[in-house]
Amino acid sequence: MITLRAVTKSYPMGEREYRALRGVDLEIDHGAFAAVTGASGSGKSTLLHVIGALHRPTSGEVLLDGDDLSRLSRDGLARIRKEKIGFVFQQFFLLSRATALANVELPLAYAGARRKDRQDKARECLAKVGLLAFASHLPTQLSGGECQRVAIARALANDPRMLLADEPTGNLDSETTHEVMDIIASLHREGRTVVVVTHENDVAARAQRRIHLRDGLIEEDSHATI
């Protein structure tokens, strides 16, 4: 499903250039559950953003279901993100003045879905993460874990085949981390490809595969023993 070939990604830093990825080769099969780990600055988030078509690689190829993301137009990348990928971030990125239901509806509204259809789908997604009873609550009325569950519901709105999560438990306590990871694991069992960036060993241990980065390169790539 995902193939990276000699992928590099550099960012300008004044007169210098910072190389976040330095030639990554990677394949992730459809239906996999992978955790990307490494120290701060190792390239974890950059790798996830390149896989998710948020950033173009500086060089190399990124293939998603055979589509070369490095060659697609901006509109083409937006279509890939809309149709195939759900994103979850550490900061939640919920609209503070919108209800949980309205937040989950957003991707469907952008896709042009009718109001009733998107509300029905948003309720279905909230139910999947155990928050249907909180549909009318604002983010300020929810706990951090509940906000993250709303963010996961929003990521599911367009039925993506792949879920990409960047430090999804970084702001949560251990009990809530466990609850959120239970939800993510259940979404994987439904057949979705899941890639989680994390610095937490307990979170990485939930994955079938651990990809450890160091200085923009894959240092270790291991699969769980079942």
Side-chain angles (χ1 to χ4, degrees):
M1 183 179 184
I2 307 164
T3 302
L4 278 69
R5 297 173 181 158
V7 168
T8 71
K9 180 62 180 178
S10 299
Y11 301 97
M13 291 185 63
E15 297 181 356
R16 297 184 301 145
E17 190 174 68
Y18 171 65
R19 297 183 65 196
L21 299 176
R22 298 170 177 262
V24 171
D25 295 305
L26 178 65
E27 290 191 0
I28 299 176
D29 293 333
H30 174 67
F33 185 177
V36 181
T37 63
S40 178
S42 61
K44 303 188 301 296
S45 293
T46 300
L47 178 64
L48 197 75
H49 294 171
V50 166
I51 290 172
L54 292 174
H55 293 170
R56 291 183 185 273
T58 302
S59 64
E61 293 182 324
V62 181
L63 305 177
L64 178 58
D65 290 340
D67 289 321
D68 186 349
L69 303 186
S70 61
R71 297 179 180 274
L72 292 181
S73 66
R74 181 176 297 180
D75 288 344
L77 292 175
R79 176 183 56 81
I80 291 287
R81 292 192 297 268
K82 181 179 71 174
E83 295 177 356
K84 297 187 176 185
I85 305 170
F87 295 95
V88 179
F89 299 97
Q90 179 178 351
Q91 296 85 0
F92 315 142
F93 294 125
L94 301 179
L95 298 181
S96 61
R97 296 185 180 181
T99 64
L101 185 71
N103 269 285
V104 177
E105 283 184 63
L106 278 175
L108 299 164
Y110 291 140
R114 295 184 304 173
R115 182 176 181 182
K116 184 182 184 305
D117 291 341
R118 66 181 189 246
Q119 286 182 340
D120 289 346
K121 183 63 178 180
R123 290 190 180 95
E124 176 187 324
C125 292
L126 283 172
K128 189 180 287 286
V129 300
L131 286 181
L132 182 57
F134 295 80
S136 62
H137 284 54
L138 299 172
T140 53
Q141 298 171 307
L142 301 173
S143 68
E146 288 164 348
C147 284
Q148 190 59 289
R149 285 154 67 186
V150 173
I152 293 171
R154 181 184 58 196
L156 299 176
N158 282 327
D159 290 320
R161 295 176 57 195
M162 180 165 61
L163 183 68
L164 302 181
D166 193 354
E167 299 282 6
T169 61
N171 289 328
L172 307 179
D173 60 42
S174 57
E175 181 178 354
T176 309
T177 290
H178 184 76
E179 293 171 355
V180 167
M181 288 309 299
D182 280 349
I183 292 171
I184 290 175
S186 72
L187 298 175
H188 168 250
R189 289 193 295 271
E190 291 176 358
R192 291 180 178 83
T193 305
V194 176
V195 183
V196 177
V197 163
T198 183
H199 65 276
E200 301 175 70
N201 287 329
D202 289 349
V203 171
R206 302 290 296 268
Q208 299 170 331
R209 180 179 179 186
R210 184 165 178 162
I211 301 162
H212 188 77
L213 296 187
R214 181 183 177 91
D215 297 331
L217 290 168
I218 295 176
E219 183 179 57
E220 182 180 355
D221 189 349
S222 59
H223 293 258
T225 300
I226 300 176

